[in-house]
Amino acid sequence: MKKEKFDWKNPSKKQWKQIHAWTRTIIQIFFFVMMPSIFTTAFSGVKYIFTRIGTGEAVSMTAFVTALAAICLYTIVFGRFFCGFACAFGSVGDWLHALYLWINKKAGKKKPWKPDRQLMKWLSYVKYAVLALIVILCFTGFYGKTSGWSPWDVFSMLRSGNLRLAAYIPGLILLILIFAGMFVEERFFCKVLCPMGAVFSLLPILPLYALFRDRQNCLKGCSACTRMCPADLELPERGSFHASGDCFQCQKCIDTCPKGNVRCGVKEVKGNELLFTLIRAIILFALMKLAGV
Amino acid sequence: MKQFLMKWVNVILIVGLIAGYNLILSSRAQAEEVLRLQAELDSANLKLENVIEENEWLKENAALFAAASTSARKDEDTEENQEDTLYTAGTYTGEAQGFGGLVKVAVTVSDREITDITIQSADNEDTAYLTMAVDIIPAILSAQSADVDTISGATFSSTGIKHAVQQALEKAVN
């Protein structure tokens, strides 16, 4: 796939779309195999900080805190590229949803069932409650007593082939529910429940590599990018500072826009999206290796 | 723009608060350390005075106590010989289930003490968790027992280390 592309002088729009989709899948598989624990490690940083403050101990730069700081800095500069391309949990969700779409296609259903958009919008605030709840549990020292409940622990255990799940039945049930959600709704977990996503959403993402659109060039009444967006975002006007913390940087909108209006703040990137994606993936990988994940 | 600035203020505030919190804790710890050292110094001075006094008193009564002290020393000697050693000195290995696989440790013991613990292999543990989990080693060394609390946040890996050390110590016990 990759080799062919360089032989073509001018891949068609559709072919570019395929190239980008495959590149994303390959990067996701790479991170899933090489670094499946970035999410849990970084979030352990959040838990660690509040547990320590709760017990009145100093917060030292442990491996968890370093990973948390590194991923937050990366996200401030590059947006939530990690979510779209490197998170093991998100990747599994994407594959589950792809399976859902494939089944629908085979069954001859043109429009697969989707949860109500307005409902999803309201539900997307739940993640802040999840974050607040975990932080409070850590601070008060109760988190240790909920060990069998974490669906992320169960996910990590399954991934590493650790199948002694007897003490993790509540977590396993939650995980199955989450996967069911991810199956019918693209990025259900990331939008609604992910506490790390809540942290990312609260970060001030620089308007450099975040995605914007030139609205005045849009076709009248067109909402192709919003309909394609897993987070249902209406991208901000280029030049503004309203980069949304809910954008996963999946970049599907770039190829979806019939007018090619979607691009990031730095204009040199336009047309070099593939190269830039690879560079970001390499920087992320190197950074996480340095941080000791 | 306003939202963007607000987010920056929040981030800076949180980082600042954590840094400030750490600073307060470390200055408190320093103050406590100073007090503790002061107290130690005082009690050492007191002891010194006592010793000097005792010494003088002993000198005065030297002849009287000479006989008694030799017999006491004899008792001590026999006591020491009777005391059992805990371990057979040497290096022992143990292994136990960590998060993703086996954790192998080597425990070095002298007759009475655990002197060193090293991790020989832990191939399937995540690096970040393992670096947290090894904090259990100094805890085991200072408690001289594997029966210590696991490291929260790295429960699986530290439990693996703990159980592996337990296994090794079972081999080392007389």
Side-chain angles (χ1 to χ4, degrees), chain B residues 18-31:
Chain B
I18 294 173
Y21 169 81
N22 267 349
L23 213 66
I24 291 171
L25 276 191
S26 73
S27 71
R28 246 190 231 162
Q30 264 173 6

Side-chain angles (χ1 to χ4, degrees), chain B residues 108-127:
Chain B
T108 308
V109 293
S110 67
D111 288 348
R112 275 187 219 133
E113 260 191 326
I114 308 171
T115 52
D116 189 32
I117 298 171
T118 52
I119 301 201
Q120 289 189 311
S121 72
D123 299 335
N124 289 318
E125 304 303 296
D126 284 324
T127 330

Side-chain angles (χ1 to χ4, degrees), chain A residues 28 31-32 35-40 82-97 150-159 171 174-180 182 187-191 193-196:
Chain A
Q28 283 183 315
F31 274 98
F32 185 82
M35 288 188 167
S37 57
I38 301 178
F39 158 71
T40 42
F82 163 73
C83 298
F85 282 77
C87 177
F89 217 85
S91 298
V92 170
D94 280 342
W95 300 330
L96 282 173
H97 188 65
S150 167
W152 308 299
D153 280 354
V154 177
F155 179 74
S156 306
M157 287 169 82
L158 289 175
R159 213 217 64 92
L174 284 176
L175 185 71
I176 291 168
L177 288 177
I178 289 169
F179 278 163
M182 295 276 248
R187 294 272 166 167
F188 168 79
F189 170 77
C190 316
K191 278 187 281 193
L193 296 170
C194 181
M196 199 62 218

Side-chain angles (χ1 to χ4, degrees), chain A residues 57 59 162 164 168 201, chain B residues 1 7 21-22 97 99 156:
Chain A
E57 288 166 291
V59 178
N162 183 344
R164 291 163 304 137
Y168 288 85
S201 289
Chain B
M1 187 70 187
K7 284 179 169 181
Y21 169 81
N22 267 349
Q97 191 72 28
F99 183 79
F156 287 98

Side-chain angles (χ1 to χ4, degrees), chain A residues 68-87:
Chain A
L68 176 67
I71 197 79
C72 284
L73 274 176
Y74 181 88
T75 302
I76 287 175
V77 177
F78 291 114
R80 288 171 67 176
F81 183 81
F82 163 73
C83 298
F85 282 77
C87 177

Side-chain angles (χ1 to χ4, degrees), chain A:
Chain A
M1 190 83 208
K2 265 188 173 173
K3 262 186 187 161
E4 279 174 290
K5 158 200 91 191
F6 289 112
D7 295 339
W8 308 332
K9 279 262 158 28
N10 270 315
S12 70
K13 228 180 152 201
K14 202 176 164 192
Q15 283 167 331
W16 266 122
K17 207 170 174 175
Q18 281 173 342
I19 292 166
H20 286 149
W22 278 106
T23 311
R24 182 160 175 237
T25 308
I26 290 166
I27 293 175
Q28 283 183 315
I29 293 172
F30 174 78
F31 274 98
F32 185 82
V33 174
M34 300 297 290
M35 288 188 167
S37 57
I38 301 178
F39 158 71
T40 42
T41 308
F43 194 66
S44 289
V46 177
K47 291 191 289 193
Y48 167 84
I49 289 173
F50 285 95
T51 310
R52 296 288 279 194
I53 294 177
T55 54
E57 288 166 291
V59 178
S60 44
M61 279 308 261
T62 58
F64 294 152
V65 182
T66 317
L68 176 67
I71 197 79
C72 284
L73 274 176
Y74 181 88
T75 302
I76 287 175
V77 177
F78 291 114
R80 288 171 67 176
F81 183 81
F82 163 73
C83 298
F85 282 77
C87 177
F89 217 85
S91 298
V92 170
D94 280 342
W95 300 330
L96 282 173
H97 188 65
L99 180 70
Y100 176 69
L101 294 182
W102 182 80
I103 290 172
N104 271 287
K105 206 174 160 189
K106 286 280 150 188
K109 255 186 154 180
K110 272 259 162 76
K111 275 200 160 182
W113 179 82
K114 257 186 176 187
D116 182 59
R117 294 297 88 193
Q118 198 59 37
L119 175 73
M120 286 309 299
K121 203 173 173 183
W122 284 112
L123 283 179
S124 72
Y125 291 104
V126 173
K127 60 178 177 284
Y128 299 107
V130 173
L131 175 65
L133 181 73
I134 294 177
V135 162
I136 291 168
L137 284 175
C138 284
F139 185 74
T140 52
F142 281 111
Y143 191 83
K145 288 178 189 130
T146 61
S147 65
W149 283 81
S150 167
W152 308 299
D153 280 354
V154 177
F155 179 74
S156 306
M157 287 169 82
L158 289 175
R159 213 217 64 92
S160 67
N162 183 344
L163 294 174
R164 291 163 304 137
L165 290 167
Y168 288 85
I169 298 301
L172 187 63
I173 293 168
L174 284 176
L175 185 71
I176 291 168
L177 288 177
I178 289 169
F179 278 163
M182 295 276 248
F183 186 62
V184 292
E185 168 73 22
E186 188 175 4
R187 294 272 166 167
F188 168 79
F189 170 77
C190 316
K191 278 187 281 193
V192 177
L193 296 170
C194 181
M196 199 62 218
V199 173
F200 288 146
S201 289
L202 295 170
L203 289 176
I205 292 162
L206 296 175
L208 297 172
Y209 305 109
L211 293 169
F212 300 96
R213 59 186 177 181
D214 297 315
R215 198 71 177 123
Q216 76 270 21
N217 295 341
C218 287
L219 294 171
K220 213 176 169 197
C222 176
S223 62
C225 51
T226 304
R227 274 184 286 124
M228 180 50 92
C229 180
D232 302 316
L233 291 178
E234 288 179 21
L235 287 173
E237 191 70 25
R238 207 158 59 82
S240 81
F241 282 86
H242 285 291
S244 171
D246 283 329
C247 171
F248 306 127
Q249 289 279 340
C250 72
Q251 313 194 31
K252 289 198 286 192
C253 49
I254 298 176
D255 291 317
T256 300
C257 180
K259 302 266 284 175
N261 276 342
V262 178
R263 53 157 136 163
C264 70
V266 176
K267 66 171 186 283
E268 283 74 17
V269 174
K270 191 162 171 75
N272 300 312
E273 277 93 359
L274 188 69
L275 180 67
F276 184 54
T277 295
L278 292 175
I279 291 173
R280 280 193 286 187
I282 291 166
I283 294 176
L284 179 63
F285 187 74
L287 191 66
M288 288 295 107
K289 264 274 173 265
L290 273 179
V293 174

